[in-house]
Amino acid sequence: MAKGQLEFQEEVDAARIENAMWRSWKADGSGDHSGDHSAKTEKLERVRGSIGDSIDFSQIRYPQETRRCRYDDLPTFPVRPNFAGFENALQPASQCVVFDGCPEDPYHPSNTPIYQTSTFVQPSSSEFGPYDYTRSGNPTRTALEKHVAMLEHAAAAFAFSSGMAALHTVTRLLKQGDEILVNEDIYGGMHRLLTQDCAHNGVQVTFVDTTNLTAVAKAITPKTKIIHTESPSNPRMKISDLRKLATLAHQHKVLLSVDSTMMPPVICQPLLLGVDLVVHSATKFFSGHADCTGGLVCVRDPELAHRVAFLQNAEGTALAPFECFLFLRGIKTMWLRVNRAQENTVQIAKALAKHPRIKEVFYPGPGGCSSEALRIHNSQSSGCGCIISFTTGSVSFSRRFLDASRLFKTTVSFGSVNSLGEMPCTMSHASIPAEERTLPADLVRLSVGIEDVRDLLQDLQRALDFASSQKPPPEHDGYDSRFEDLPVVPRPPDEEERPRKSLSEWLLSEVEGPSTSQMLSGPCPCCWESS
């Protein structure tokens, strides 16, 4: 075994011992048997029975005399590897695929099973098994959290019921009287959480431009405990220097939290830049299909991980097993999806920048930000992402553009295989009061998907043409998947006796023709051929 692997295994073994000792210490009822040899022997045998004989127990010492273990100090799930110092030999695309979520399963399933259960049977009334209650821990969730931690190089990762639940957990690390510095360009839901929840619970919220290190340094006070930012920011795509922010924060013993939803781990790994907490709305790129909601918190410090785990369990915000399974499945194609979408994004950004009706384009690529911002972004990320924002100079033009688009569906969120579009001021950031909003009212945000870029460019050009004219966009153009102009199957019984009708024409004639009672008493479509 190589030296690095040996050290890693020793860390895992040590963590397993500590976990088992916590559980056995609680089980013996008192926690103080320093002078009782038989009690120590019994305890040692209990640990041996819990984790096996792979360690030389005769050489282990436990300085437990000065330690008192409370119930709330017990781990809520089995110990897991600490990936903070892990160097994966695989490339990012392979890291998304090569992962066994349940290596201990005797049946060796190809995919992690869904442990759809709320409770787990315990060994006895005085002992805990690996899991007891799904709110506290579940094997499917453990698999997801381990895979995410591996991708992010985290000591541990935690899965929550939504991105907002993950962000809320970060704010719960603060207590009354603490201060949090927040980037002035921030997701609308986070702005609402901070100004209408945290501020009412005694936490001071201060907004600052985190792209300006001097401004951040001036804003830090003795009460500041967390600096929270996004890079790129949502939706103006402003770039913050995460390395320098981390250095500045740590000089003042302040934690740096980054919402990296726009930059999934196949593009950026903020923990390697010195960031303390990384948050994702997993609903976006980790899912990739807009079919489940979830959030993630990744930390690089084990002590901080212990606190996040406690909050996840105590507040009941953990992700359910089925959604964990969906995210595990989504991760497998994340590199492919993000890579393809980024390729489309570059071409679309170039086309938008050349259009005469587009005033300004915002994205971390050539022409979408300053050269200095682009340099910083490229130093901490491997791609531009899949989000583009732009202004048109007219709110009505932006609205007509979105209403005319057919492939870019008008919806909040981003990161799906489908291309999406929205106006932040009236959608994703509408919760920010107008007087506090720093966004241009005509701002449009596009989430570029994996469709053929030729179709996307054609759709955008057509939408821009319609927005420039006074013509209304067509109501039916085939993209709604209704296909009402096509002939229907099975054929109506008298199809050969009358001209062929489209689906909409046939339905209309039936509604206008026979009465409801006649239709109900007549043959059903399944019987047309036989009749």
Side-chain angles (χ1 to χ4, degrees):
M1 183 179 293
K3 180 179 179 182
Q5 293 176 316
L6 180 61
E7 292 176 348
F8 176 73
Q9 185 60 47
E10 288 175 349
E11 290 183 6
V12 173
D13 288 343
R16 294 173 70 205
I17 294 174
E18 183 178 24
N19 179 66
M21 285 301 299
W22 276 354
R23 295 187 183 279
S24 64
W25 197 263
K26 176 64 181 177
D28 67 21
S30 63
D32 186 11
H33 296 288
S34 56
D36 189 339
H37 178 74
S38 62
K40 284 184 176 180
T41 302
E42 181 182 353
K43 185 186 304 298
L44 191 60
E45 290 301 315
R46 188 181 297 119
V47 174
R48 189 193 303 274
S50 175
I51 66 176
D53 294 310
S54 63
I55 302 169
D56 185 1
F57 289 94
S58 64
Q59 301 300 316
I60 297 173
R61 300 293 183 267
Y62 303 103
Q64 297 287 344
E65 288 77 11
T66 60
R67 176 179 180 179
R68 293 188 177 277
C69 182
R70 303 173 304 150
Y71 175 84
D72 286 336
D73 290 328
L74 297 177
T76 58
F77 45 77
V79 293
R80 56 184 68 168
N82 179 335
F83 290 101
F86 178 62
E87 294 184 8
N88 200 325
L90 299 176
Q91 297 300 313
S94 299
Q95 293 179 29
C96 291
V97 179
V98 183
F99 177 78
D100 186 352
C102 48
E104 300 87 2
D105 192 305
Y107 300 106
H108 304 292
S110 300
N111 290 291
T112 304
I114 305 172
Y115 285 84
Q116 194 64 39
T117 181
S118 59
T119 57
F120 300 83
V121 176
Q122 301 305 298
S124 71
S125 60
S126 60
E127 293 179 293
F128 284 109
Y131 299 94
D132 62 345
Y133 194 56
T134 281
R135 169 172 53 78
S136 303
N138 181 283
T140 313
R141 189 164 75 242
T142 295
L144 172 63
E145 292 174 340
K146 285 168 59 179
H147 199 173
V148 172
M150 185 186 78
L151 294 174
E152 286 284 3
H153 294 271
F158 302 92
F160 294 85
S161 58
S162 69
M164 286 309 306
L167 287 169
H168 179 259
T169 301
V170 172
T171 67
R172 295 286 288 127
L173 297 173
L174 301 166
K175 62 181 184 298
Q176 186 175 8
D178 288 344
E179 179 186 40
I180 180 171
L181 300 185
V182 186
N183 188 17
E184 63 178 3
D185 185 35
I186 203 77
Y187 167 53
M190 182 58 166
H191 185 281
R192 175 175 52 199
L193 175 68
L194 292 166
T195 58
Q196 300 185 44
D197 181 66
C198 291
H200 294 170
N201 289 317
V203 173
Q204 182 177 338
V205 179
T206 302
F207 291 96
V208 62
D209 182 3
T210 58
T211 67
N212 186 335
L213 291 171
T214 302
V216 176
K218 290 181 178 179
I220 295 175
T221 71
K223 294 183 178 180
T224 306
K225 302 302 178 184
I226 294 178
I227 298 173
H228 179 78
T229 190
E230 302 168 352
S231 186
S233 62
N234 181 9
R236 288 190 291 166
M237 313 300 289
K238 299 177 70 174
I239 307 300
S240 296
D241 191 325
L242 300 183
R243 286 189 182 89
K244 291 184 177 179
L245 269 179
T247 299
L248 177 61
H250 298 158
Q251 288 174 351
H252 295 271
K253 296 182 172 20
V254 174
L255 296 175
L256 177 59
S257 166
V258 172
D259 185 335
S260 192
T261 299
M262 283 193 179
M263 294 282 115
V266 294
I267 303 177
C268 180
Q269 296 160 327
L271 295 181
L272 296 181
L273 306 175
V275 173
D276 299 290
L277 298 120
V278 172
V279 182
H280 289 279
S281 172
T283 310
K284 280 68 171 178
F285 291 105
F286 280 84
S287 164
H289 298 79
D291 56 4
C292 50
T293 302
L296 300 164
V297 174
C298 310
V299 299
R300 64 187 182 93
D301 177 66
E303 290 299 321
L304 192 58
H306 186 67
R307 179 60 181 169
V308 174
F310 171 81
L311 291 170
Q312 182 193 53
N313 179 44
E315 298 185 339
T317 52
L319 190 64
F322 183 67
E323 281 70 23
C324 291
F325 168 81
L326 292 177
F327 284 120
L328 280 166
R329 185 177 64 173
I331 289 174
K332 294 180 179 180
T333 60
M334 181 163 58
W335 187 90
L336 291 171
R337 291 184 281 103
V338 172
N339 192 54
R340 172 59 180 269
Q342 284 190 132
E343 293 174 353
N344 290 348
T345 301
V346 172
Q347 296 192 52
I348 289 173
K350 290 179 180 179
L352 289 172
K354 295 177 181 178
H355 198 279
R357 291 306 302 263
I358 304 301
K359 301 302 180 183
E360 194 170 6
V361 175
F362 307 96
Y363 98 110
C369 60
S370 69
S371 58
E372 177 61 13
L374 182 58
R375 182 195 65 78
I376 293 172
H377 178 79
N378 289 340
S379 73
Q380 58 194 26
S381 304
S382 62
C384 63
C386 314
I387 313 299
I388 304 172
S389 294
F390 61 88
T391 56
T392 66
S394 167
V395 173
S396 61
F397 183 93
S398 296
R399 289 174 178 169
R400 284 176 58 81
F401 164 78
L402 283 176
D403 291 343
S405 178
R406 288 295 175 263
L407 297 187
F408 284 84
K409 301 296 185 182
T410 303
T411 176
V412 297
S413 195
F414 55 86
S416 172
V417 291
N418 303 97
S419 293
L420 311 172
E422 66 134 4
M423 293 184 68
C425 286
T426 57
M427 298 180 70
S428 61
H429 291 63
S431 61
I432 303 177
E435 63 274 13
E436 300 177 22
R437 200 180 298 144
T438 60
L439 308 177
D442 61 321
L443 188 69
V444 175
R445 188 187 74 186
L446 299 181
S447 172
V448 181
I450 67 171
E451 302 92 340
D452 192 300
V453 71
R454 293 169 294 184
D455 294 326
L456 295 177
L457 289 170
Q458 183 180 36
D459 185 53
L460 290 175
Q461 183 60 57
R462 187 183 61 167
L464 288 166
D465 291 343
F466 273 113
S468 301
S469 70
Q470 298 301 317
K471 298 178 182 179
E475 295 183 1
H476 303 291
D477 50 18
Y479 294 139
D480 58 4
S481 300
R482 296 176 65 90
F483 308 111
E484 293 182 343
D485 294 331
L486 296 179
V488 299
V489 291
R491 295 179 302 168
D494 57 346
E495 177 72 22
E496 297 179 359
E497 301 176 6
R498 59 184 179 185
R500 178 175 290 184
K501 294 183 177 181
S502 68
L503 176 61
S504 57
E505 292 173 332
W506 183 80
L507 289 174
L508 182 62
S509 65
E510 289 299 301
V511 171
E512 293 176 346
S515 65
T516 302
S517 59
Q518 289 174 324
M519 286 192 288
L520 291 175
S521 61
C524 70
C526 299
C527 304
W528 280 343
E529 293 296 333
S530 60
S531 61

